[in-house]
Amino acid sequence: MKILITGGLGFIGSNFIRYWLQQHPNDEIINLDKVTYAANFKSMVDVESNLNYSFVRGDIGDAQLVDKIMAQGIETIVHFAAESHVDRSIDDPSLFVKTNVLGTYVLLNAAAKYGVKRFHHISTDEVFGSIDFGSKKQFSENTPYDPSSPYSASKASSDHLVRSFYKTFGLPITISNCSNNYGPYQHPEKMIPRSITNLLTGQKIKVYGKGLNFRDWLHVEDHCSAIEAILLKGKIGETYCVGGLKKGTSNIDLVKTILEIMGKTEKDIEYVADRPAHDNYAVSWDKISKELGWKPKYDLESGLEQTIKWYTENQDWYQDTKREAEEFYIKLNKIKK
Ligand code: NAD
Ligand code: TDX
């Protein structure tokens, strides 16, 4: 099978390419990535020599380029490429609309024109909005959309476009809405790698507000196996929610676990200004479990231990991106004030 992966130099895309080539060594992967600030070529060094892997530098919004790639006989598209950071969408929403909405539209058009067998769209639980503090509610495939940030609004828009191409043009789509991913190769702008790399570089962990907002943490390898299950056994036109084993982990509890594993104390926490429209998330994965037999393998503690070990042993991987990320946060804090 010939697969087009978009955004394969990013966190989840790079993990997925590695995972897929290990599980399906005869498949061919073309990775289309614009190489934004979020891309890292070092994430692919062990894959680059694989003859079934090739890389194209370019924008998913470039219709001519996408057409040229599709003409090579792509059967499946797994669409990861996006502007993915909520804080950056507060700074400048325009790129989020351009890539996440318009870029997805260009891909859908090409997929319909060339009659692909599957268009799998990677989306997020953030499209569902926020869960109230103290509530045990979990998002599911039936939860109405209620996005809070320009990022989640752009992802919600792209989900609607993907579904419309199924209903209107019969494009064979599937969508997954997953919770917060973590694991190796994640950009150090995001909470878990930022916290780990702050400690590794002698800085404190920055906690937004009082750290009471909560998340549902999904190890990236578990996410990859969920996408695999959907590609192999998922029903066309369907959406699948994907989440981790533990629900309702507050940011402060997450930080305390990281501090403990890394032999640090609460003196290494700095409370900083809160994020506007700060959401809470928890996701039910009942449907994908019952219908496709998927379940996550990692519990949060063992996943964090593995992730901390990876960042400790791969400090060269994040040096440049960490510098850029912290410069971004200095700029964002000025905007917040
Ligand atoms: P990331 O920011 O680490 O990587 C995004 C990649 O897309 C980068 O390599 C970047 O260069 C590329 N890209 C950006 N704009 C592009 C464009 N116009 N054309 C081609 N390539 C472009 O993102 P991630 O964390 O790996 O997320 C991947 C997908 O998963 C996104 O769609 C995101 O919305 C979704 N998602 C992420 C999480 C999470 O916790 N990270 C959770 C739920 C859903
Ligand atoms: O330094 C920090 N301190 C802090 O307290 C950072 C970077 C974050 N936070 C908080 C904000 C959130 O409550 O930690 C939580 C996680 O923040 P992020 O890592 O920015 O992730 P989040 O906003 O939850 O979004 C992520 O999960 C859903 C991804 O970035 C999205 O792409 C995905 O759709």
Side-chain angles (χ1 to χ4, degrees), residues 10-12 33-34 36 59-60 80 84 99 151 155 178 181:
F11 165 46
I12 308 174
D33 195 298
K34 185 181 170 188
T36 68
D59 193 322
I60 55 165
F80 294 92
S84 72
T99 286
Y151 162 69
K155 292 297 290 188
C178 71
N181 283 220

Side-chain angles (χ1 to χ4, degrees), residues 84-87 124-126 151 178-181 186 189-192 194-195 206-208 213-215 217 251 272 275 278-279 281 329:
S84 72
H85 193 28
V86 174
D87 288 332
T124 171
D125 60 357
E126 301 203 8
Y151 162 69
C178 71
S179 61
N180 281 62
N181 283 220
Q186 186 169 28
E189 69 187 356
K190 304 283 167 46
M191 177 60 171
I192 289 180
R194 186 181 188 204
S195 300
K206 316 283 186 193
V207 171
Y208 294 177
N213 287 86
F214 56 86
R215 292 288 182 274
W217 291 100
N251 291 335
V272 298
R275 171 185 284 173
H278 200 163
D279 286 341
Y281 313 120
Y329 281 116

Side-chain angles (χ1 to χ4, degrees), residues 16-28:
F16 182 77
I17 290 173
R18 184 172 295 100
Y19 177 92
W20 193 268
L21 287 173
Q22 273 162 12
Q23 306 295 323
H24 309 272
N26 296 326
D27 284 350
E28 202 182 313

Side-chain angles (χ1 to χ4, degrees), residues 21 96 157:
L21 287 173
F96 288 73
S157 311

Side-chain angles (χ1 to χ4, degrees), residues 193-206 259 262 264-265 267-270 315 318-319 322 326:
R194 186 181 188 204
S195 300
I196 297 168
T197 55
N198 272 9
L199 293 180
L200 288 173
T201 54
Q203 300 166 68
K204 293 186 181 194
I205 294 180
K206 316 283 186 193
L259 288 168
M262 294 184 73
K264 302 281 185 177
T265 68
K267 283 187 195 142
D268 285 301
I269 297 176
E270 182 186 342
Q315 300 198 21
Y318 64 77
Q319 293 306 328
K322 170 101 189 132
E326 291 308 318

